[in-house]
Amino acid sequence: MTAEIRGARPPQLSSRQRSAMAKRLTGLASAMAQAATAEMEERHPWFTALDADNRSWVAVIARTGIDGFVTWFGDPNSSAQGLDIFGHAPRALARHITLHQTVELVRTTIEVVEQKLQELLPRGDRPIAQAAILNYSREVAFAAAEVYARAAETRGAWDARLEALVVDAVVRGETDETVLSRASTLGWASAQSVCVAVGSAPAADNPRLGEELRQRLGTEIDVLLGVQGDRLVVVLGGEQIGEPEGSIRIVDRILDAFGPGPVVVGPTVEHLVDTIGSVRAAMSGLRAAVAWPEAPRPVLADDLLPERALAGDGHARRALARDVFQPLQQAGGGLLETLVCFLDQGSAIEGASRLLFVHPNTVRYRLKRIHEVTGFNPSDARDAYVLRLALTLGRLIGS
C-alpha cells in the first residue's frame, strides 16, 4: 500500500512560531494516536473483529499519519512533505479493509486529533492547528483513494490474465479441476447449459469489455471471454442457454461486442468441462461461414453443417450422416426414396408422384414425415441443400 501526501501546505507562520508549535504537537502525538486507536475500537465493531496483526498495522498507519502531520507542519520544505503514510502497511491489508472502512478510520482519526488539539493546545494555537489538520486530512483522503485505485487496477489486470488463461484452456480442451477452480474465482457458477460464441475481435481494444457484457447480461448468465489473435471467444453459461434458441437470443444481446463478419454459436453442452465440443463446432463454423455469406448473424454452428463438411470437418460429415441420413433410412415407409426422387425432380411434387407411381398427397405426406424425422423441410431451398449433402455423405460413410 503506497501513496504520498503532496501538494498541501500548512498555514503561513514564522519559522520560530512553526518550530515552537511543532514541538508542542510532537508532545501530543503519542496521546492522540492512543486516543484514535481507542476510539476505533469503540466506534467500529469490524475493527475489533480484525486479527491482532491487522489491528496493529492500522494503529501503525494512524500513528504514522499523526507523526506525518507534525513533521509536515514543522517543516513543509523537507523531504517529510512527501511522507509515505500507507507505505508501512503490507499490501495484504487492502484485502482485509475496504475503502469504505478506510474512510471511516481516517474520519475517526481526524475527529480524535481535532478534539485533542482543542483540549490540549493553548487557545492561541487552536485555530491554526484546526486549519492545518483540515488541509492535511484532505490529502490523506486522496492518498487512501489512490491506494485502493491502484489495488483495483492490479486486481483487474490479474483477473483479465486469469480469464484469458481459462478461456485458452477451454479452447484447447484442457478443462480440468484447476481450470474449474480458476473459473470459479472469476465468478463462474453455472453447472449446466454452456455454449461458446466465436467471431472476429473488435478493432478497438476495450479492457472493460468483459465487465460491460456481464452488466448487460445480468447475474443469471455467466461470461468468460478472451481475445485470441483476431478472434473473440465468449463462453456463456446459465439455464437460459439450455432453452430452445436460448443461446442465439443471448448472443444476439452482445452481438456488438464482436467485430465485423460472422458470429458462430456452438451447440449447448451440459458443463464447462464438456465445452470443447461447442468450441470445436464454433471454430469450424467460423472458418466455413465464408461459403454462406447470406447466413444470419449470429448463426448456429449446426446450421453450417454442409459448409463445415465441405471444408473438411469430419465431425460435421458424421453428424449429417448420423442425424439425417440414418434416421431416414431406419424410418422406412419409402421416405428415403421419396426424398431422392423429389430432389431429382427439382422439388416438384407432381413429377415425384409420377415416378413413384403414388398419389401427390402421398408424396406430400412423406415430405411432412421427412421434416418430422430430420428437422429439415425438403421444400425449403436451404434445407434441401442440407438433405442432399446428407444423402451423399450417408451413402459414402455407409459404404
Side-chain angles (χ1 to χ4, degrees):
M1 300 175 67
T2 59
E4 293 183 349
I5 305 302
R6 56 182 180 276
R9 297 186 65 83
Q12 296 297 321
L13 299 172
S14 67
S15 299
R16 183 175 180 181
Q17 289 175 317
R18 183 179 296 110
S19 178
M21 191 169 177
K23 289 182 179 179
R24 289 192 287 273
L25 290 173
T26 302
L28 300 177
S30 179
M32 289 189 293
Q34 292 177 2
T37 303
E39 186 66 19
M40 291 175 194
E41 294 177 349
E42 181 177 349
R43 187 181 300 185
H44 307 299
W46 57 262
F47 175 76
T48 56
L50 294 173
D51 56 56
D53 189 48
N54 286 318
R55 285 201 307 273
S56 66
W57 278 117
V58 171
V60 168
I61 293 175
R63 179 57 191 264
T64 303
I66 293 172
D67 290 342
F69 167 67
V70 174
T71 306
W72 167 81
F73 186 91
D75 187 4
N77 296 319
S78 68
S79 59
Q81 185 180 355
L83 183 64
D84 189 0
I85 288 181
F86 296 95
H88 294 80
R91 183 175 301 178
L93 186 60
R95 304 191 189 105
H96 295 86
I97 301 178
T98 66
L99 176 59
H100 176 70
Q101 291 170 339
T102 302
V103 171
E104 289 182 338
L105 293 180
V106 171
R107 181 184 293 116
T108 301
T109 302
I110 296 303
E111 290 176 356
V112 169
V113 170
E114 288 178 341
Q115 180 182 354
K116 290 300 180 182
L117 291 177
Q118 294 297 319
E119 292 177 358
L120 303 178
L121 279 179
R123 190 177 299 273
D125 292 347
R126 295 174 186 176
I128 299 174
Q130 180 73 17
I133 192 62
L134 289 177
N135 200 0
Y136 186 79
S137 64
R138 180 192 65 184
E139 300 303 320
V140 171
F142 288 152
E146 184 177 353
V147 166
Y148 283 87
R150 289 179 179 176
E153 290 177 356
T154 302
R155 286 195 298 270
W158 170 250
D159 286 348
R161 290 192 294 270
L162 184 61
E163 186 173 10
L165 289 173
V166 171
V167 172
D168 182 65
V170 169
V171 170
R172 289 185 286 108
E174 299 176 357
T175 313
D176 55 13
E177 291 298 328
T178 301
V179 174
L180 292 177
S181 176
R182 291 173 177 172
S184 176
T185 302
L186 295 168
W188 183 274
S190 296
Q192 59 182 356
S193 301
V194 182
C195 73
V196 175
V198 182
S200 62
D205 182 27
N206 182 6
R208 298 188 66 254
L209 180 59
E211 180 181 350
E212 292 174 359
L213 295 187
R214 292 180 182 92
Q215 291 177 350
R216 191 182 308 177
L217 295 178
T219 57
E220 296 181 356
I221 302 296
D222 291 331
V223 181
L224 294 171
L225 63 86
V227 176
Q228 298 187 332
D230 59 350
R231 298 176 308 192
L232 174 62
V233 180
V234 181
V235 185
L236 301 166
E239 292 185 3
Q240 296 181 32
I241 300 294
E243 299 173 357
E245 299 296 325
S247 59
I248 285 290
R249 290 199 307 269
I250 297 301
V251 174
D252 192 58
R253 292 165 57 184
I254 59 172
L255 200 57
D256 57 349
F258 295 89
V263 176
V264 182
V265 184
T268 300
V269 296
E270 294 184 356
H271 197 274
L272 189 62
V273 296
D274 306 317
T275 315
I276 183 58
S278 185
V279 171
R280 185 187 296 115
M283 294 290 189
S284 173
L286 186 63
R287 290 190 295 268
V290 64
W292 188 20
E294 299 81 16
R297 186 175 189 267
V299 61
L300 290 172
D302 287 348
D303 291 340
L304 288 162
L305 282 175
E307 290 75 16
R308 290 167 52 196
L310 293 173
D313 185 349
H315 295 279
R317 290 197 298 267
R318 288 187 291 273
L320 286 171
R322 179 186 65 246
D323 300 335
V324 180
F325 178 80
Q326 289 181 5
L328 282 176
Q329 193 177 44
Q330 295 167 1
L335 297 187
L336 194 59
E337 294 79 4
T338 301
L339 176 61
V340 172
C341 189
F342 177 75
L343 296 177
D344 287 344
Q345 292 300 308
S347 300
I349 293 179
E350 296 294 338
S353 69
R354 285 194 297 268
L355 288 178
L356 293 170
F357 300 103
V358 296
H359 194 275
N361 286 342
T362 302
V363 176
R364 292 187 179 93
Y365 170 77
R366 291 177 180 178
L367 294 178
K368 181 180 178 182
R369 285 284 297 140
I370 291 171
H371 190 189
E372 292 173 351
V373 170
T374 65
F376 295 99
N377 182 5
S379 300
D380 179 82
R382 173 68 187 180
D383 287 1
Y385 171 61
V386 177
L387 289 168
R388 171 67 81 179
L389 193 58
L391 289 174
T392 304
L393 290 170
R395 289 164 176 165
L396 287 173
I397 293 176
S399 64

